[in-house]
């Protein structure tokens, strides 16, 4: 199975596998790492002591997310017509932008390809092909930001043993993606758009709050008391749609095995820790590996890594420099 296929299947819910073949350079790197255990431990401790946990990428991401959503609000309330509509469907200085998942739901509900709708998705398609992965989720989606803030409360409650975190099979998100599509076909109605906290929050910010915010509150409460980031991890089809679109993106978070101490701090902060399975000792097959289409490109792993083993890169560009 190719690396691309393996990553794509992982996005659909398949469990990561230990590589069948490891490159000679990787074997040499791992041998040199553990040849002198005392030196390895000293280097690891030194890296930790001299690493100040940065929130650089998190802060940049929050700034972009807030700016995009506030631009919708200001455009409506000040009537400046820069970014009209909502995240579901909008118009940026005259260019129509339509959410890919919403467009798919509409076409399934109408049971034919709507040419104007298809044209409106093209610009959005190109954007997420270039940015890749689930960039929309962490850099634009307002529910992601709220869930990220309430996640801290969930983790504190788990630490104090007040609640227990419950995990579900990641493949349930693929099942929901199919179910929402089938419901659109059968009912002729975009069922997911009624339930989507992304659309609800976007419209509430722009046009004012409504009763639908109660549903968003229940989702957040479920995540605080029962399952960490449950909606994003196990239900929401938007991430799956954008992950599939961005699978061929040149932009990625890449992992460099030579610089890694395999302590797992990155996996603790990651929303989708299965994409960081390569950071587990013995799981990297190449010197440098991209994290794949299910990565949200949030940068949390980059911020926390004490050695720079994880970083943003453009495929092929590093070889030219």
């Amino acid at each position: 199975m190719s690396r691309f296929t393996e990553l794509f299947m992982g996005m659909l819910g398949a469990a990561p596998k230990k590589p069948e073949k490891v490159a000679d350079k990787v074997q040499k790197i791992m041998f040199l790492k553990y040849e002198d255990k005392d030196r390895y431990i000293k280097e690891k401790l030194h890296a930790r002591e001299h690493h100040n946990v940065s929130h650089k990428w998190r802060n940049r991401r929050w700034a972009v997310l807030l700016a995009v959503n506030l631009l919708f609000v200001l455009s409506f309330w000040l009537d400046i017509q820069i970014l009209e509509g909502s995240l579901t469907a909008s118009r940026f200085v005259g260019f129509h932008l339509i959410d890919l998942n919403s467009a798919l739901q509409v076409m399934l509900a109408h049971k034919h390809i709507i040419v104007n709708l298809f044209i409106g998705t093209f610009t959005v398609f190109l954007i997420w092909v270039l940015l890749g992965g689930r960039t929309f989720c962490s850099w634009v989606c307002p529910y992601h930001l709220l869930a990220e803030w309430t996640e801290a409360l969930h983790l504190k409650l788990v630490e104090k043993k007040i609640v227990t975190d419950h995990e579900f099979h990641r493949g349930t998100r693929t099942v929901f993606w199919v179910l929402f599509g089938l419901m659109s076909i059968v009912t002729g109605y975009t069922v997911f758009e009624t339930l989507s906290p992304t659309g609800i929050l976007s419209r509430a910010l722009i046009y004012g709050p409504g009763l639908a915010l109660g549903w968003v509150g229940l989702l957040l409460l479920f995540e605080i008391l029962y399952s960490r980031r449950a909606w994003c991890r196990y239900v929401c089809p938007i991430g799956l749609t954008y992950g599939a679109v961005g699978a061929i993106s040149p932009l990625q978070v890449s992992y460099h095995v030579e610089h890694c101490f395999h302590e797992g701090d990155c996996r603790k902060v990651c929303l989708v820790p299965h994409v960081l399975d390569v950071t587990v000792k013995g799981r990297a097959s190449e010197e440098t590996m991209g994290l794949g289409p299910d990565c949200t490109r949030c940068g949390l792993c980059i911020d926390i890594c004490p050695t720079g083993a994880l970083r943003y890169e453009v495929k092929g560009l590093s070889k030219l420099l």
Side-chain angles (χ1 to χ4, degrees):
M1 183 184 295
S2 68
R3 171 70 176 164
F4 179 85
T5 303
E6 182 182 337
L7 290 173
F8 201 87
M9 293 303 295
M11 182 178 67
L12 297 180
K17 295 180 179 179
K18 193 171 181 177
E20 296 177 0
K21 185 179 180 181
V22 177
D24 292 338
K25 288 184 178 180
V26 175
Q27 293 182 39
K28 185 178 179 180
I29 288 170
M30 298 305 289
F31 174 77
L32 292 173
K33 274 186 182 183
Y34 297 104
E35 182 182 24
D36 186 344
K37 288 188 177 180
D38 290 336
R39 176 184 59 80
Y40 176 77
I41 292 171
K42 286 180 181 178
E43 288 180 353
K44 183 165 65 172
L45 292 174
H46 181 269
R48 280 201 168 276
E49 288 173 3
H50 292 81
H51 175 63
N52 295 319
V53 177
S54 167
H55 295 297
K56 178 178 72 174
W57 284 108
R58 185 203 67 180
N59 293 342
R60 289 175 178 177
R61 179 168 52 82
W62 284 3
V64 170
L65 194 153
L66 290 169
V68 169
N69 285 277
L70 284 175
L71 187 56
F72 276 109
V73 176
L74 293 175
S75 294
F76 176 74
W77 287 101
L78 299 180
D79 196 23
I80 54 178
Q81 299 180 353
I82 295 178
L83 187 57
E84 305 168 85
S86 67
L87 286 176
T88 301
S90 59
R91 187 170 62 179
F92 179 66
V93 293
F95 291 95
H96 289 278
L97 305 172
I98 302 173
D99 170 62
L100 298 181
N101 195 75
S102 300
L104 177 62
Q105 295 283 320
V106 170
M107 285 189 279
L108 289 174
H110 286 77
K111 301 177 183 61
H112 71 275
I113 295 176
I114 304 171
V115 177
N116 290 338
L117 194 66
F118 186 79
I119 293 172
T121 64
F122 185 68
T123 304
V124 177
F125 177 84
L126 286 180
I127 290 171
W128 301 119
V129 164
L130 291 174
L131 295 178
R134 293 169 56 196
T135 311
F136 171 86
C137 300
S138 60
W139 288 79
V140 177
C141 177
Y143 182 79
H144 187 284
L145 184 60
L146 286 183
E148 191 172 345
W149 289 343
T150 55
E151 180 183 22
L153 177 57
H154 171 80
L155 293 176
K156 286 183 180 178
L157 293 176
V158 170
E159 184 182 355
K160 294 180 179 179
K161 298 183 178 180
I162 297 174
V163 302
T164 303
D165 186 44
H166 297 81
E167 295 184 357
F168 302 94
H169 194 284
R170 290 186 298 102
T172 56
R173 187 181 56 172
T174 304
V175 174
F176 274 110
W177 191 93
V178 174
L179 283 176
F180 282 124
L182 289 174
M183 283 190 282
S184 294
I185 294 172
V186 172
T187 66
Y189 187 71
T190 54
V191 178
F192 173 72
E193 290 306 313
T194 306
L195 301 173
S196 171
T198 303
I200 291 171
L201 283 171
S202 181
R203 291 187 292 271
L205 284 169
I206 301 163
Y207 308 118
L211 291 176
L213 284 178
W215 165 243
V216 177
L218 287 175
L219 287 176
L220 291 171
L221 192 63
F222 180 80
E223 293 182 349
I224 291 170
L225 300 178
Y226 194 80
S227 181
R228 179 183 181 184
R229 304 299 291 274
W231 177 264
C232 300
R233 283 184 173 183
Y234 310 119
V235 180
C236 185
I238 296 176
L240 191 58
T241 299
Y242 281 112
V245 168
I248 58 173
S249 171
L251 178 64
Q252 63 183 3
V253 175
S254 61
Y255 168 68
H256 298 256
V257 66
E258 184 176 3
H259 303 291
C260 183
F261 287 119
H262 312 285
E263 294 186 287
D265 289 345
C266 54
R267 296 192 298 277
K268 292 176 184 177
V269 300
C270 184
L271 170 64
V272 280
H274 65 277
V275 304
L276 286 164
D277 185 69
V278 291
T279 65
V280 177
K281 180 180 164 184
R283 289 298 182 98
S285 58
E286 302 290 340
E287 291 177 90
T288 302
M289 304 181 73
L291 299 189
D294 211 20
C295 173
T296 66
R297 294 354 187 222
C298 69
L300 290 176
C301 61
I302 298 173
D303 282 340
I304 204 168
C305 180
T307 60
L310 293 155
R311 63 193 76 159
Y312 287 111
E313 287 186 341
V314 178
K315 292 178 185 177
L317 189 60
S318 58
K319 296 180 181 179
L320 299 176
L321 301 176

